[in-house]
Structures are given as structure tokens and as C-alpha cells.
Amino acid sequence: MVPLSQLWLPILLSAVIVFVASSLIHMVLKWHNSDYGALSNEDEVRAAIRKGSPAPGQYVMPRCNDMKDMGTPEVQQKYKEGPVGFLVLGPNGAPNMGKALGLWFLYAAVVAFMAAYVAGHTLGAGAHYLKVFRIVGTVSFLTYVGGSVQMGIWMGKPWGSVLKDLLDGLIYGLLSAGVFGWLWPR
């Protein structure tokens, strides 16, 4: 067993490298730009939503209070007419990128911490690079991609977008695994 106190450097460095890789993916490669379409009547949709003054939050349409409601003719008609969708609304104003980037870095650090926890309890000091790589890579990959797969299943996120997220998670997992394998205590 390796105590977490001996893994602070790979935890921190892994979070930094994932943060940088993510920045390159989104700002240089921009392979996620095509994940978000524009509505042809965006201004009208924005006006209709603004008219209802919804609070920031997560919404679904049509909305059913109970699974029994889904079978009623009224709700079935709403599904037939469409649109059917999920909507996430943030607060008005420009997005706070500083806060989002800070939270993303914190998330990367938590993922690295959890991977360190599992690897530290699974492997001993001096473990072979590939054993460390396999454990940390698997934990990191699964943590980075799990939410996107759920969004594809339950929220209708396009599978092409989910596949890009899986590729992102694979890259982040491999980078994390490499850092931990390199800096694993001897």
C-alpha cells in the first residue's frame, strides 16, 4: 500500500496535464465545436423562454409529474407534436469562464486523487510502470467518461458527441496513467 501523502506530486501534475490537454482539445483542435447546433429560430425561442422567466436549472419537455402521466392521451399528443427535449438554463449574463475552468481543474484533481486512492490501495511501492498505468488509466478513463455515456442514454446527447467525449476521456486517462507510472514511489 502507498499512502496518499506520497502521491501528491502525481495527483497535482496529472490534474495540470489533463487541464492543458483539455484546453488544447477545445481551443486548438476544436473537435467539439460541431457538437452544438443552432436553432433556425433562435431569437424566437429565446424570446419565448425569456417570457416564462424560468430560473436557472434543468428542464424537460413535455414534463410529466409521474410515469402514469406519460400514458395519457394529452401527454402522448405532446410527444407526437414535439419538440421533445431537455434544456439546461444558466443565469443571465456572460458565462463565467474563470469559475468553470477553476471547477474543471478541481474536478481533474479529484479524479487524480481517486485514481491515486485506488492505485495506492491496490499496488505497493516499486510497482511496475505498466501495473500503475493500467490501474490509474482505467479509473481515470471511467471517471472522465461515465457522465457522457449516461447523457447519451437518458438525455439524448448525440452519440457522435458521446464518442468524442470517450476519446477525450481516453486521452485524459492515458495522460494520467503516464504521470502516475512515471512518478510512482520506488
Side-chain angles (χ1 to χ4, degrees):
M1 185 169 137
V2 176
L4 287 169
S5 61
Q6 291 184 17
L7 298 174
W8 68 269
L9 183 58
I11 290 170
L12 184 60
L13 187 57
S14 173
V16 168
I17 288 176
V18 166
F19 185 86
V20 170
S22 171
S23 297
L24 292 172
I25 286 169
H26 286 87
M27 296 186 316
V28 176
L29 299 176
K30 299 182 179 185
W31 70 48
H32 287 282
N33 282 5
S34 63
D35 291 350
Y36 303 94
L39 296 170
S40 60
N41 60 343
E42 178 181 331
D43 290 336
E44 295 161 5
V45 171
R46 288 178 55 243
I49 292 171
R50 194 170 40 253
K51 183 178 177 184
S53 297
Q58 184 172 262
Y59 299 89
V60 63
M61 59 186 165
R63 170 77 161 89
C64 299
N65 290 325
D66 189 298
M67 289 299 289
K68 291 182 274 184
D69 293 345
M70 289 183 79
T72 65
E74 298 82 20
V75 173
Q76 287 297 311
Q77 185 61 34
K78 288 180 181 181
Y79 277 114
K80 196 179 299 180
E81 292 169 353
V84 175
F86 299 90
L87 180 66
V88 177
L89 296 176
N92 291 345
N96 185 341
M97 289 305 291
K99 178 182 177 184
L101 290 171
L103 289 171
W104 171 241
F105 180 79
L106 180 62
Y107 179 70
V110 168
V111 171
F113 178 85
M114 294 309 297
Y117 176 82
V118 171
H121 282 77
T122 305
L123 305 167
H128 189 270
Y129 176 91
L130 287 177
K131 285 186 177 185
V132 176
F133 190 95
R134 185 177 66 234
I135 298 295
V136 171
T138 300
V139 171
S140 298
F141 171 74
L142 290 173
T143 305
Y144 282 117
V145 304
S148 187
V149 172
Q150 291 180 42
M151 293 292 286
I153 293 168
W154 295 106
M155 304 298 232
K157 182 174 184 169
W159 286 104
S161 179
V162 171
L163 288 175
K164 291 179 201 174
D165 290 343
L166 291 173
L167 181 56
D168 292 351
L170 180 62
I171 292 167
Y172 304 156
L174 292 173
L175 290 170
S176 298
V179 168
F180 272 86
W182 169 46
L183 296 174
W184 194 255
R186 300 290 163 218

